[in-house]
Amino acid sequence: MNSGVTLWRCTICRAGIFPEPLLCPRCHGDKFHADRVQEAVIEEISVIRHMLGQENWQPRRIASVRTADGQLMTVGLRDESGVGAAIDLFEEGGAPFGRAKTS
Ligand SMILES: [Zn+2]
């Protein structure tokens, strides 16, 4: 498990983007560098109750979260954090997750 989540920052206009895009949606630049974000605030939560073709599926919570610099991203939620909660971000198996801040 890695602390923080990688997002891609445009070298021209500094827009933060996730996942890595081909072109910057703001200035159409094509150069990015990786940046780490450690925390975000939950804006919206949805629950995936069923997945086509999956037996024994456990409901999963997915959150739309906003990082301190305004980037919106979707992460899996690992606890019962609600809308407005500040969460720590981490990566597991290459996918972004969040959970309530431990500090
Ligand atoms: Zn840009």
Side-chain angles (χ1 to χ4, degrees):
M1 188 187 88
N2 293 315
S3 163
V5 165
T6 301
L7 66 75
W8 300 92
R9 195 168 293 286
C10 174
T11 57
I12 300 170
C13 73
R14 308 278 309 152
I17 305 148
F18 181 88
E20 186 177 17
L22 290 174
L23 292 176
C24 174
R26 190 185 292 172
C27 74
H28 298 156
D30 62 357
K31 299 265 189 303
F32 303 94
H33 65 266
D35 206 356
R36 299 291 285 182
V37 287
Q38 303 291 338
E39 57 179 74
V41 174
I42 298 174
E43 294 210 333
E44 203 178 307
I45 294 173
S46 35
V47 180
I48 300 177
R49 297 187 188 284
H50 305 282
M51 183 66 80
L52 211 60
Q54 293 277 335
E55 303 283 337
N56 305 318
W57 176 264
Q58 298 297 317
R60 295 185 188 183
R61 303 176 83 218
I62 306 290
S64 285
V65 302
R66 195 172 293 277
T67 63
D69 70 343
Q71 174 64 31
L72 198 61
M73 61 195 300
T74 302
V75 303
L77 260 193
R78 281 293 170 78
D79 59 20
E80 298 301 310
S81 295
V83 170
I87 56 171
D88 282 325
L89 299 174
F90 61 99
E91 281 175 352
E92 208 172 88
F97 288 96
R99 64 174 166 216
K101 295 176 71 64
T102 46
S103 54

